[in-house]
Amino acid sequence: MPADPKSSARRKFLTSSGLIAAAAAIPNSASSLAKKTMPSFDEKPLPVDSARKLLIGVFDPVFPDLGLDQMIEKISAWGIEAVEIGTGGYPGDKHCPVSELLQDNVKLNDWKKKFEDRNIKVATLSCHGNPVHPDAKIAARDAQTFRNTVLLAERLGVGVIVGFSGCPGGSPTDTMPNWATYRWPPEYAQILDWQWKEKVIPYWKDAAKFAREHGVHKLALEMHPGFVVYNPMTLLRLREAVGEEIGANCDLSHLFWQGCDPIEVIRLLASQNALFHAHMKDTVMFKDNVAKYGVLNFAFETKDLSQASETFRAVGYGHGANTWKEIVRTYMEVGYQGILSIENEDPILPGEVGVQRALYVLKNVRSELLGSTA
């Protein structure tokens, strides 16, 4: 019997994509580690009730030089199916003038129609900031950005808002955030207890109540270093203290370097009904530097890569296509209801290039899982 051409194409894609990291100009240890650490998964059919087409989207700050119409035209041509739109805070609001849209229904409808005309879903609004910042002006600004984002989400019928948990100071007199993660020496235990009890939990209880009153029930907090929610444990701790509105933006790029298993993280969050959103971004670990310096040695610029333990990469350039296929498979199997939102902060493949590379990998693994050319 002749070989199935689709099966041959899938094998060829996985073989070539599994070595994708080796093609980039990065330290030699990166490519060897990507190959050595790529898990070996058993090929198994995707359950029929899990095989659904998760939309592939993009987070819009990666297009800082494009106007709204230019961005929509470009991503539509690429086959992007959904968007995550920044509404202020660190992502900015380049493509979403929130105040104008809240004040003018005509502008709001025109803005929304631009996406609808290209069959692109506005899936999430993102306002990453620090609403518990020790500087009262910064905290007030970011809290107001969050409230405006909730109001806009209500008007647009968007059910998910993405952001950071924030990070307070270490005491009532601090003027800068204090990211404490370890409870010794004893001062750090005091810092952590004070931050959670006096600042973080009270703020998010009020924020969740405000969101709930306006029909928004999914606040997807990104587990990110520098903020009090930085891993699944701290995320679930805040959810338990605040309520079911708190969930995760599962950005695995921030969890790979912490030693998390992506499959276990997805399953854990799903089992708690806390899987609200997913950033598609990779991280490469440089084995030789990890051995010498440990994992708390992140690089953001190419000039620092020679001594870095890790850096962000586009999907498929830190972990192979087999790994990302199993990640997408697991999102499907657990019944994830959101989109796969490409965020590109790759210093080697910056901007649009990294988005296109990630899109290629994600479309191919999704097609394989669905047994189609979807």
Side-chain angles (χ1 to χ4, degrees):
M1 177 180 288
D4 180 352
K6 287 187 178 180
S7 297
S8 299
R10 288 197 292 271
R11 286 195 297 273
K12 182 178 179 182
F13 168 71
L14 287 174
T15 300
S16 61
S17 298
L19 302 179
I20 251 173
I26 54 179
N28 292 334
S29 55
S31 59
S32 62
L33 183 65
K35 289 181 281 187
K36 289 178 182 177
T37 61
M38 187 172 67
S40 176
F41 297 103
D42 293 330
E43 279 293 329
K44 57 184 179 180
L46 192 67
V48 174
D49 59 352
S50 298
R52 62 183 204 84
K53 183 177 178 179
L54 295 175
L55 298 182
I56 300 173
V58 68
F59 190 15
D60 75 306
V62 76
F63 304 106
D65 300 322
L66 297 183
L68 177 62
D69 292 334
Q70 293 173 306
M71 180 189 73
I72 292 175
E73 181 178 356
K74 182 178 290 287
I75 65 176
S76 176
W78 289 352
I80 292 285
E81 301 152 340
V83 286
E84 174 183 352
I85 296 290
T87 55
Y90 295 115
D93 59 358
K94 167 76 175 182
H95 304 114
C96 185
V98 178
S99 296
E100 290 183 27
L101 299 183
L102 288 175
Q103 294 171 9
D104 191 324
N105 279 333
V106 174
K107 289 184 178 179
L108 178 68
N109 291 331
D110 287 346
W111 184 89
K112 185 178 180 182
K113 190 173 185 298
K114 290 177 187 290
F115 293 97
E116 292 174 341
D117 287 348
R118 296 299 186 98
N119 198 30
I120 296 172
K121 179 180 180 179
V122 179
T124 58
L125 302 179
S126 292
C127 56
H128 302 67
N130 189 354
V132 293
H133 196 289
D135 185 320
K137 290 183 179 179
I138 295 175
R141 179 199 66 195
D142 290 352
Q144 186 60 54
T145 297
F146 170 80
R147 288 191 292 271
N148 288 345
T149 301
V150 169
L151 296 176
L152 183 61
E154 180 183 30
R155 300 276 292 278
L156 291 171
V158 171
V160 181
I161 291 175
V162 185
F164 292 138
S165 61
C167 184
S171 74
T173 59
D174 281 1
T175 59
M176 295 291 286
N178 189 329
W179 186 43
T181 63
Y182 196 64
R183 296 185 66 84
W184 195 90
E187 304 95 284
Y188 291 100
Q190 294 173 19
I191 288 171
L192 283 164
D193 291 342
W194 180 82
Q195 287 179 329
W196 281 80
K197 180 180 178 182
E198 301 297 332
K199 293 294 181 179
V200 178
I201 293 174
Y203 170 78
W204 283 106
K205 280 187 174 180
D206 288 343
K209 180 176 181 290
F210 182 81
R212 186 165 58 248
E213 290 171 346
H214 291 277
V216 176
H217 300 283
K218 291 185 176 182
L219 305 180
L221 300 184
E222 186 167 333
M223 298 168 284
H224 194 291
F227 299 100
V228 293
V229 166
Y230 60 90
N231 64 10
M233 183 178 289
T234 48
L235 185 282
L236 293 174
R237 177 185 175 186
L238 187 61
R239 178 179 171 87
E240 182 178 0
V242 171
E244 62 185 10
E245 284 80 18
I246 299 297
N249 168 26
C250 189
D251 187 330
L252 294 171
S253 70
H254 303 302
L255 303 179
F256 283 129
W257 67 268
Q258 295 184 59
C260 293
D261 181 308
I263 306 306
E264 292 302 316
V265 167
I266 294 168
R267 288 175 176 160
L268 170 64
L269 295 172
S271 73
Q272 302 297 310
N273 297 316
L275 190 60
F276 292 169
H277 188 56
H279 273 174
M280 296 288 105
K281 189 171 69 178
D282 211 340
T283 294
V284 65
M285 308 295 292
F286 302 132
K287 180 182 178 182
D288 294 345
N289 288 342
V290 169
K292 290 183 289 188
Y293 309 129
V295 299
L296 300 179
N297 180 38
F298 212 93
F300 295 92
E301 300 180 27
T302 54
K303 66 181 179 63
D304 298 322
L305 290 180
S306 63
Q307 291 190 310
S309 295
E310 63 274 304
T311 193
F312 293 137
R313 297 306 318 265
V315 169
Y317 284 73
H319 297 77
N322 270 327
T323 299
W324 282 98
K325 181 178 179 179
E326 292 308 307
I327 288 169
V328 175
R329 176 197 295 274
T330 306
Y331 276 120
M332 291 180 178
E333 287 181 340
V334 300
Y336 170 59
Q337 298 297 307
I339 68 169
L340 305 176
S341 182
I342 297 169
E343 180 187 29
N344 189 49
E345 295 178 320
D346 188 325
I348 301 166
L349 299 172
E352 296 180 11
V353 176
V355 174
Q356 289 178 296
R357 301 292 178 85
L359 180 62
Y360 172 79
V361 174
L362 291 172
K363 281 196 168 185
N364 274 279
V365 299
R366 185 181 67 180
S367 294
E368 292 171 13
L369 289 166
L370 297 178
S372 69
T373 57

